Amino acid sequence: MTPRFLAAVGALALAAAIPAAPAAAQTQAAAPAPPPANWKAPRNAFGQPDLQGVWTNATITRLEREARYGDRLALSEAEVAGLEGANAATFAVHAAPTKAETKVDDLPACPSGSTGPTCGYNMFWVDPGTQVMRVKGQPRTSIITEPKNGQLPFTREALARARGRQGNAQVGNFDGPERRPLAERCIVAFGSSSGPPMLPVLYNNHYQIVQSKDEVLILVEMVHDTRIVRLNDKHKPGHVRQWMGDSIGRWEGDTLVVETVNFRPEQAFRGATGDLKVVERFTRVSPTEINYQFELVDPATFSQPVKGEEAWRAAKGPVHEYACHEGNYALPGILAGAREEERKGREMEGNRGAVREEGEGED
């Protein structure tokens, strides 16, 4: 993934809102028929509900609800047809062959909405989903279910912190590798794909669950992260901060409940504080579906707990390795470009903005 591409689609990825998807490459399964009334989740060798398999949460449904839907959680079937049809039409435009004589400066619009040299990947490389998310058979207007308006309820304190972070923006700063985004450095996935919460993004929306007696492992396709959930355990000390936080789990009937705390500050979800707690619930509701719910609690960031819900569909495996570092030519390239600009006496635009935001003035 290139820095230019991440900058172009960052807002889309973070909102889990993707306008189009390639029909040929799509891995999202169609909504399954309801299971029989007497269906029970299968058990594994340890007597636990069996969540194992490869799953996908790919969807065109947004994390936050569009204002036009108000407090409405469900779409009508006519609205579903309109959204999915528009998505298919957009794909058809972006999937059209590019003429061989087209120059970089003349590239047509790409999936990120950019044109020309700011285009990143074309439709061949992306796979965000083609369908509206249906949870319990209901087509949803957003992944967020609470607050009722489907929006993240940021506190004034959180908004103030966000303004302060603009001066230390990673996407526009080229001083060194430590100032670049985590996904660009192949540390964790962008857009909270690794989670928690685990949200759909532009591509690679697969998860593989493996269970043992004392642990549940969730392999995240993006950046090839693995979340380890320790069962019936206690959290590690608060000063031990890990990528994707510290997750402990327990079984409540057929539901795996996972509580995660102690996130690293660099990975805080939407600028949340170190006190963020995420509670997830995984329930196998049919042979081909897991109901995934999450709750975010951080009073310094959100004025009320945030809840969301996804339907994970069974997908074909295996999950292939996401070899991020092996192809990460962009990181040394962009830093080398910045050094060349400095050698010529020209400071990069992003760095000038950072200095200005930090109150040190600019030339």
Side-chain angles (χ1 to χ4, degrees):
M1 80 189 77
T2 67
R4 185 168 59 196
F5 173 71
L6 285 174
V9 302
L12 290 176
L14 289 175
I18 308 301
Q26 180 49 241
T27 51
Q28 177 182 339
N38 60 350
W39 188 85
K40 296 288 185 181
R43 261 48 182 176
N44 60 19
F46 310 106
Q48 305 164 342
D50 197 345
L51 304 176
Q52 297 182 109
V54 177
W55 310 89
T56 177
N57 62 355
T59 182
I60 62 174
T61 299
R62 298 172 180 265
L63 171 63
E64 295 187 89
R65 187 175 309 142
E66 293 185 62
R68 58 176 168 159
Y69 298 121
D71 292 347
R72 187 155 56 94
L73 182 60
L75 292 163
S76 69
E77 290 301 330
E79 288 172 321
V80 171
L83 289 169
E84 294 179 351
N87 181 79
T90 302
F91 163 69
V93 171
H94 292 307
T98 302
K99 295 180 180 179
E101 63 271 20
T102 302
K103 296 181 180 180
V104 172
D105 289 342
D106 299 325
L107 284 173
C110 48
S112 67
S114 300
T115 59
T118 58
C119 276
Y121 301 151
N122 58 27
M123 293 305 298
F124 176 83
W125 299 102
V126 299
D127 187 15
T130 60
Q131 300 172 350
V132 166
M133 179 78 75
R134 291 178 181 267
V135 179
K136 302 170 185 174
Q138 183 185 64
R140 294 291 176 85
T141 56
S142 63
I143 291 174
I144 290 179
T145 57
E146 294 184 21
K148 290 184 178 181
N149 66 0
Q151 300 289 315
L152 291 170
F154 290 109
T155 63
R156 291 184 178 180
E157 177 185 345
L159 295 175
R161 290 200 310 268
R163 289 191 293 269
R165 285 195 305 273
Q166 291 177 359
N168 195 38
Q170 292 179 310
V171 172
N173 188 292
F174 310 96
D175 284 345
E178 298 83 359
R179 301 300 293 272
R180 303 306 301 159
L182 300 178
E184 190 178 300
R185 295 160 59 194
C186 300
I187 294 177
V188 292
F190 67 85
S192 198
S193 178
S194 302
M198 293 182 287
L199 302 175
V201 287
L202 189 67
Y203 50 34
N204 300 111
N205 293 302
H206 288 87
Y207 302 90
Q208 182 175 2
I209 298 179
V210 178
Q211 296 170 233
S212 71
K213 180 181 178 181
D214 300 314
E215 294 177 329
V216 176
L217 277 66
I218 306 174
L219 172 64
V220 183
E221 182 179 19
M222 182 74 77
V223 190
H224 222 62
D225 294 321
T226 301
R227 292 184 57 194
I228 300 176
V229 179
R230 306 185 312 279
L231 299 177
N232 303 316
D233 200 359
K234 296 181 179 179
H235 284 299
K236 297 177 181 178
H239 67 274
V240 179
R241 301 278 167 166
Q242 301 174 260
W243 300 119
M244 300 175 286
D246 179 45
S247 297
I248 59 174
R250 65 183 184 276
W251 290 101
E252 292 185 358
D254 286 351
T255 299
L256 173 65
V257 181
V258 179
E259 181 183 276
T260 305
V261 297
N262 297 348
F263 294 91
R264 290 180 63 96
E266 305 97 314
Q267 199 197 359
F269 176 78
R270 299 295 184 92
T273 70
D275 294 329
L276 172 67
K277 179 172 72 173
V278 181
V279 178
E280 302 163 285
R281 294 177 178 270
F282 301 78
T283 308
R284 183 85 172 265
V285 294
S286 84
T288 56
E289 183 178 338
I290 287 177
N291 178 257
Y292 171 71
Q293 300 174 310
F294 62 84
E295 180 178 5
L296 315 177
V297 179
D298 181 9
T301 303
F302 307 116
S303 60
Q304 68 178 84
V306 177
K307 296 183 180 180
E309 192 172 25
E310 300 172 0
W312 288 19
R313 309 295 189 196
K316 294 182 179 179
V319 177
H320 297 285
E321 181 184 5
Y322 186 94
C324 187
H325 276 294
E326 287 82 341
N328 194 11
Y329 306 113
L331 184 58
I334 193 173
L335 296 177
R339 302 294 82 78
E340 177 64 15
E341 290 293 298
E342 292 167 354
R343 186 183 68 80
K344 295 178 179 178
R346 297 195 298 264
E347 190 175 19
M348 300 292 283
E349 182 65 31
N351 285 2
R352 289 202 300 271
V355 170
R356 181 172 62 253
E357 290 289 340
E358 289 169 359
E360 298 177 10
E362 68 175 315
D363 298 336

